[in-house]
Amino acid sequence: MIILKNGNIVDIYTGEIVKGNIGIQNGKIAFVDLNDQISNEFHNSSIGYKVDKVIDLKGKYVSPTFIDSHIHIESSHQIPSEFEKYALLNGVTKVVIDPHEIANVLGIDGIKFMLNDAKILNVFLMVPSCVPATALETNGAEITAKDIEKLFKYNNRILGLGEVMNYIGVINGDKEVLEKIEVAKRYNKLIDGHCPQLTGLELCKYIEKGIMSDHECVEPEETLEKLRLGLKIMVREGSASKNIDILKIREKINDMRNLMLVSDDISAKDLKNGYMLNILKKATKYVSPVEAIQMVTINPGNYFGFDVGIKPSNEANLIIFDDLNEFKVSKIMVNGKFLDELLNNNNYNNHDLNQKNKSIKKLNTIHYDYKNEEDFLINGIDSLYHQYRHSDFKIRRCRAIKPINNSLITKEKIIKLDDAKEKLNDRELNRIAVVERHKNTNRIGKGLVVDFLKRGTLASSYSHDSHNVVVVGNDPADMAVAVNFLKDIGGGFVAVENGKVVEYVMLNVAGIMGDDGEYILRKTESLEEKTKDWSDFENIFLSMSFLTLPVIPELKITDMGLVKNMEIVDLLI
């Protein structure tokens, strides 16, 4: 037995910090001594256990380890067995993933890979509800209601139906969407929501169909309405979208049990440099440290049915903090063993994947012909439009995507054609294109984006939700170089300038993840450093990936063209 003596225990059940001693036996908590009943000598006879080690915490704080209740691990661009090396060091021992990204590329095989690849990290899963996400783009697989039912039977770590993004379909009674929801209900599973800016009676209709949570709140009033209607709210503070300030509702409400802190998307850099610890620090601007910890322990535990907290019989998954205000970590314990010992264990380092997981890592998922400069020219911008459609020669305006920093939401900007050509020359506008990469259709959606890139060209095979190849730049020749390079390396990120590759990151698993975390981190940092003055946007590749997300307002782009509020629209108007 290990005894942690003289600790300040974060009691997530009562919201207190209480002094006590913790006994750990066979990976579990044997007792929590809140009355200092154990003698100072820790005689074996006094507690009925053989005491192997006594660690005097000298007043350090002890908390349960953390749960990230909604994350797409793929956003870190690391497979789960690499992701966990950093997540564990930042106190996260349990994640509820929505493998929506890999599912849109590899379907059920990708989902099973994500569930089974980690070694120490407890991975639970919500089955992606929208694969494909919409009919407005081309993806690589389909997850039907029958597939969802099979997955519910496959493993008890599959907890429910992932974020139902097609909220319009739910409200309007779309048969396919409702069928998936009914399968989840039949198996008594959870149903996560996704309904940005939805309000009033439409929100009620969405909830009435069985939706239980939402992680898309942007404004405090939106959050309050959803809480008052019984939704569990996941407060997102990720690398691309940051909504922690909605916690200011603490001033208006007394009950915080239905609030959770989540990342949703996390970059490799943010994963290494704090992850959930940083989210907790930000949260304490609005709530107490103990309340913040409750939002990553007992609150998600109550939602998902996890028995968490420092109590007898629970797994000894603990964080020892030097300081609770700054969340400075001293030690982390997983299943009764200190994390540094676990990570250095030979059995951990010798872990091998099964044959199916190995084969997934070898799949080529980039399927399109090599491109040239002409493929990225835009009719009406690079040539007189009436040469192509004589009846429309009076067209004088065009649409452009206006991104918002630290937000998934974009706006539509209408620009005169003559001004658009001038702004392209001055780089106040950039070209954006999405190249279909799953079915070799060679389809390219083309558009314009406002003030995104100051120089160079960027391309990525990680672009929500279908993960076609997105490329942004002003030189069509460099755009061709970029997408051709991604085809050659099997997917990833690339920066190109003046016809040359400046830096790249190879993502060899489904074109969205790599199997070497250190490589991903090193190359990502190099890529960021070499392109740091190319844009004013923070985490530019992640920001670029959301420009192709049609389920988020207002104007996006897919391989089928511009999408405005879930409808295909013309570039020229």
Side-chain angles (χ1 to χ4, degrees):
M1 167 172 279
I2 297 174
I3 293 179
L4 303 179
K5 174 186 174 185
N6 296 328
N8 277 309
I9 298 170
V10 179
D11 194 311
I12 60 173
Y13 308 116
T14 63
E16 301 173 281
I17 295 176
V18 293
K19 294 185 181 299
N21 311 302
I22 303 171
I24 298 164
Q25 177 91 344
N26 298 324
K28 296 191 177 231
I29 297 170
F31 63 80
V32 182
D33 174 24
L34 301 178
N35 302 306
D36 208 20
Q37 290 179 287
I38 300 173
S39 65
N40 289 332
E41 293 79 17
F42 291 94
H43 291 306
N44 295 343
S45 59
S46 67
I47 56 175
Y49 294 100
K50 180 184 177 183
V51 178
D52 300 303
K53 183 184 289 187
V54 177
I55 300 173
D56 190 346
L57 297 183
K58 298 179 180 179
K60 290 181 180 180
Y61 298 89
V62 187
S63 159
T65 53
F66 307 142
I67 304 165
D68 192 341
S69 305
H70 179 70
I71 181 171
H72 306 276
I73 284 180
E74 301 98 318
S75 64
S76 72
H77 309 302
Q78 300 177 43
I79 59 175
S81 55
E82 293 295 302
F83 170 91
E84 72 177 345
K85 295 174 183 177
Y86 302 103
L88 292 165
L89 289 170
N90 288 304
V92 176
T93 57
K94 195 179 264 89
V95 293
V96 182
I97 68 171
D98 182 342
H100 179 87
E101 320 306 340
I102 198 170
N104 268 287
V105 181
L106 295 177
I108 289 177
D109 286 345
I111 291 172
K112 291 180 178 179
F113 171 82
M114 297 300 288
L115 184 66
N116 297 319
D117 183 56
K119 310 158 197 175
I120 298 174
L121 185 70
N122 286 312
V123 177
F124 294 83
L125 188 144
M126 302 292 278
V127 179
S129 64
C130 300
V131 180
T134 72
L136 305 172
E137 54 191 328
T138 307
N139 80 328
E142 182 181 11
I143 304 294
T144 66
K146 289 183 178 179
D147 293 327
I148 291 169
E149 185 169 11
K150 289 177 183 177
L151 285 165
F152 285 161
K153 295 175 182 178
Y154 168 70
N155 194 297
N156 60 11
R157 286 185 288 125
I158 297 179
L159 305 178
L161 191 63
E163 52 180 307
V164 182
M165 295 184 291
N166 188 0
Y167 58 89
I168 293 174
V170 175
I171 293 166
N172 294 332
D174 180 90
K175 181 180 177 182
E176 186 176 347
V177 175
L178 294 184
E179 187 180 0
K180 293 176 180 179
I181 290 173
E182 288 306 313
V183 169
K185 288 180 179 179
R186 191 161 65 246
Y187 282 83
N188 198 28
K189 298 289 187 178
L190 299 170
I191 305 169
D192 278 346
H194 170 118
C195 53
Q197 301 178 343
L198 197 63
T199 186
L201 295 180
E202 287 190 330
L203 175 60
C204 289
K205 195 166 185 179
Y206 183 65
I207 296 171
E208 185 266 334
K209 297 298 183 184
I211 306 300
M212 301 175 181
S213 72
D214 184 49
H215 63 274
E216 291 290 343
C217 292
V218 175
E219 300 294 336
E221 288 304 316
E222 175 189 4
T223 308
L224 277 172
E225 181 180 7
K226 289 174 177 176
L227 280 171
R228 287 165 177 163
L229 291 172
L231 285 180
K232 310 290 185 182
I233 299 301
M234 299 172 176
V235 180
R236 172 176 55 196
E237 186 69 9
S239 295
S241 190
K242 304 175 187 293
N243 307 128
I244 199 80
D245 60 340
I246 65 175
L247 284 179
K248 63 183 65 169
I249 63 170
R250 182 67 181 93
E251 299 170 359
K252 296 185 178 181
I253 64 173
N254 296 318
D255 193 331
M256 303 290 285
R257 288 176 297 173
N258 291 323
L259 288 159
M260 298 169 253
L261 296 173
V262 304
S263 67
D264 195 3
D265 289 284
I266 190 83
S267 68
K269 180 179 178 180
D270 289 343
L271 173 65
K272 181 181 180 182
N273 297 327
Y275 184 21
M276 191 60 72
L277 295 170
N278 289 337
I279 297 175
L280 288 169
K281 289 175 192 176
K282 292 178 181 179
T284 56
K285 180 179 177 181
Y286 309 96
V287 301
S288 72
V290 174
E291 285 177 317
I293 289 172
Q294 286 176 314
M295 285 190 274
V296 292
T297 54
I298 194 166
N299 291 7
N302 288 340
Y303 178 49
F304 291 108
F306 303 142
D307 193 358
V308 297
I310 300 175
K311 75 169 192 180
S313 81
N314 271 2
E315 293 176 339
N317 295 330
L318 306 170
I319 307 177
I320 301 170
F321 290 105
D322 291 329
D323 176 272
L324 204 56
N325 291 315
E326 292 298 319
F327 296 102
K328 185 178 179 183
V329 175
S330 172
K331 285 281 187 180
I332 294 173
M333 183 174 278
V334 180
N335 296 329
K337 296 181 180 179
F338 287 110
L339 183 60
D340 49 0
E341 297 172 10
L342 284 173
L343 293 179
N344 292 324
N345 186 289
N346 285 333
N347 289 333
Y348 178 84
N349 293 317
N350 291 333
H351 170 82
D352 198 9
L353 294 171
N354 63 37
Q355 195 60 43
K356 176 155 276 191
N357 282 2
K358 285 181 179 178
S359 66
I360 279 178
K361 292 167 69 173
K362 294 178 181 178
L363 286 175
N364 175 30
T365 60
I366 306 296
H367 305 293
Y368 52 74
D369 296 338
Y370 287 105
K371 306 302 176 190
N372 56 44
E373 178 178 355
E374 287 72 26
D375 290 317
F376 298 100
L377 298 179
I378 301 173
N379 293 345
I381 301 293
D382 297 299
S383 57
L384 293 177
Y385 197 69
H386 67 262
Q387 291 179 353
Y388 297 87
R389 287 170 60 192
H390 295 281
S391 61
D392 292 340
F393 72 95
K394 292 183 181 180
I395 289 174
R396 289 290 181 267
R397 299 184 301 162
C398 62
R399 292 182 167 94
I401 301 168
K402 183 173 176 56
I404 300 171
N405 216 340
N406 294 327
S407 177
L408 308 190
I409 293 172
T410 58
K411 298 294 183 182
E412 176 187 60
K413 186 169 184 178
I414 304 299
I415 304 172
K416 293 180 180 178
L417 273 184
D418 290 340
D419 290 343
K421 295 176 183 179
E422 185 176 329
K423 289 178 184 294
L424 275 171
N425 290 333
D426 295 336
R427 292 197 79 103
E428 294 176 34
L429 274 182
N430 309 122
R431 302 169 188 271
I432 183 169
V434 177
V435 180
E436 192 279 313
R437 63 111 157 176
H438 301 288
K439 299 177 179 177
N440 204 27
T441 65
N442 286 303
R443 185 185 297 114
I444 302 177
K446 302 175 188 178
L448 301 169
V449 59
V450 178
D451 288 331
F452 193 72
L453 268 186
K454 298 176 182 177
R455 54 182 281 203
T457 295
L458 303 177
S460 168
S461 57
Y462 181 89
S463 61
H464 297 281
D465 273 317
S466 293
H467 300 289
N468 289 302
V469 169
V470 58
V471 56
V472 177
N474 284 61
D475 184 344
D478 278 359
M479 294 172 78
V481 170
V483 300
N484 290 341
F485 185 82
L486 289 186
K487 175 178 171 66
D488 287 338
I489 66 171
F493 307 128
V494 64
V496 173
E497 191 169 35
N498 299 323
K500 295 182 179 179
V501 172
V502 174
E503 185 57 284
Y504 70 95
V505 182
M506 181 173 66
L507 301 177
N508 61 313
V509 181
I512 59 176
M513 291 180 291
D515 57 4
D516 183 338
E518 286 298 322
Y519 165 85
I520 296 296
L521 188 66
R522 183 179 71 254
K523 291 284 278 185
T524 299
E525 288 178 342
S526 175
L527 181 61
E528 289 178 356
E529 176 64 25
K530 291 177 180 177
T531 60
K532 65 183 179 181
D533 63 342
W534 288 25
S535 176
D536 292 328
F537 279 76
E538 184 181 351
N539 201 323
I540 187 169
F541 277 93
L542 195 55
S543 297
M544 184 170 71
S545 75
F546 288 114
L547 299 178
T548 65
L549 183 57
V551 296
I552 297 288
E554 174 181 34
L555 187 65
K556 306 285 184 174
I557 185 169
T558 74
D559 63 301
M560 296 184 182
L562 290 176
V563 179
K564 181 179 179 182
N565 296 331
M566 297 296 287
E567 291 185 358
I568 297 286
V569 295
D570 289 332
L571 171 63
L572 304 181
I573 55 177

